[in-house]
Amino acid sequence: LYRLQGRDTDGEKTLRQALALDPQNAAAHHALGLLLIRQKRLPEALAALAEAARDPANPRYGYVYAVALNSAGQGPKAIQELETLLQRHPNDRDSLLALAAFQRDAGHLDTARDYARRLATLEPDNPEVRALLQKMGATQ
């Protein structure tokens, strides 16, 4: 609500109060991390997103943390985070898609194709996945 009202300062204060009451609250860490990203406070944002990513039940938090790491120029660490995430959530679509892209961008085309193929196994009729495979010169 504060974000919609252009009151990020109040939103940050509220999130920090929530974390003071419940330091393990992954949702609050995640929301704070996103707020800090919007404010271009990357080191603080990465720390908050890393805390959120510790929640083993929510793969979205780990995925967002990995994307933030990659955007911050920490591609190898982003890949490592996603690979760890896939150990807990082997069929997480977002993580598989991100790993295919991050590995491709790192020049590891065979590994990128492997992740894209895993995704194609989960979503065989998805035209986006087929196009990704085709761009990588791979077949299902």
Side-chain angles (χ1 to χ4, degrees):
L1 180 62
Y2 284 136
R3 178 178 178 218
L4 293 174
Q5 295 173 347
R7 297 171 53 196
D8 273 349
T9 302
D10 291 327
E12 181 178 355
K13 181 180 174 184
T14 299
L15 288 167
R16 292 197 186 277
Q17 288 171 342
L19 288 168
L21 295 172
D22 183 5
Q24 304 304 314
N25 187 318
H29 280 291
H30 183 74
L32 179 60
L34 294 176
L35 181 148
L36 293 168
I37 291 262
R38 288 190 304 274
Q39 293 183 342
K40 311 260 189 269
R41 294 162 55 190
L42 193 57
E44 290 175 83
L46 288 174
L49 294 173
E51 284 298 318
R54 290 177 155 199
D55 181 355
N58 193 330
R60 183 74 181 169
Y61 296 157
Y63 163 77
V64 170
Y65 175 50
V67 169
L69 285 169
N70 192 62
S71 296
Q74 298 181 43
K77 187 171 182 182
I79 288 170
Q80 181 182 13
E81 289 293 325
L82 288 170
E83 288 174 343
T84 300
L85 179 64
L86 280 181
Q87 291 173 4
R88 290 190 308 259
H89 303 277
N91 297 326
D92 184 64
R93 178 196 195 283
D94 292 332
S95 296
L96 287 168
L97 190 56
L99 272 166
F102 295 173
Q103 291 284 14
R104 178 197 63 213
D105 295 347
H108 306 130
L109 291 179
D110 288 338
T111 305
R113 288 182 193 112
D114 289 342
Y115 286 118
R117 285 185 188 107
R118 280 178 63 180
L119 185 56
T121 300
L122 296 173
E123 300 180 8
D125 298 325
N126 185 325
E128 177 188 3
V129 174
R130 283 195 304 255
L132 176 66
L133 280 167
Q134 192 173 39
K135 281 175 77 172
M136 290 185 187
T139 59
Q140 287 180 311

